Amino acid sequence: MTSSRPVPTEPSSAPRPRRVDARRNERALLDAAAAVFVASGVDAPVRAIAEAAGVGMGTVYRHFPTRADLVVAVYRHQVEACAQAAPVLLRERQTPYAALLAWADLFVDFLVTKHGLAAAMRDDRPGFEALHAFFLERLVPACDALLDAARAAGQVRGDVPAAGLLRGIGNLCASGGADPAYDARAMVRLLLAGLTVPDPAA
């Protein structure tokens, strides 16, 4: 006769999934930090980030003990946001080219954080290289999908690779330095205008 008593199991050592509200709060904090970084750079005071997120400074430090931790988390958060935005923009914008323009604006905002990443991680070269690989893995296919759709619609040239376009946008955003007269976003718009195929009826 077999026993109906349940067989005891070893306690699981796997970490419990974080509560939904904790993940939501962390995303809100990362969104606020990203907005502050775009406006003021990655050296912005932690107090400004806490105020933008509507939390105390202790909450920021509890999630991200160092500025490097925060910058890296915002970097990964923005990479994911950019990657996930591509198919959404293709569905919502009137044309694939309009989706590409909107996506490029998101990418320009992200690059503000990326340009501060090297300084924040100067003592962690392997970590920096791993993040760069993550950047390529997620954003090259996203950009390629936008370009493919615009090519299929006859809106952009077919000889521009996604990786090259991302590098070109990155160079335009880096070249202005601290010059307040330099408008990187306007230069990126000119670059993207150069991809367009002339209307034969014009």
Side-chain angles (χ1 to χ4, degrees), residues 78 81-82 85 89 101-111 185:
Q78 287 184 293
C82 279
L89 290 169
L101 290 177
W103 190 83
D105 280 342
L106 293 176
F107 185 57
V108 169
D109 287 343
F110 156 74
L111 288 173
R185 201 178 298 277

Side-chain angles (χ1 to χ4, degrees), residues 1-7:
M1 182 175 179
T2 59
S3 171
S4 61
R5 296 177 60 187
V7 177

Side-chain angles (χ1 to χ4, degrees), residues 52 54 70 72 74 109 125 154 168 187 202:
L70 178 59
V72 169
V74 170
D109 287 343
R125 186 66 187 177
M187 294 299 102

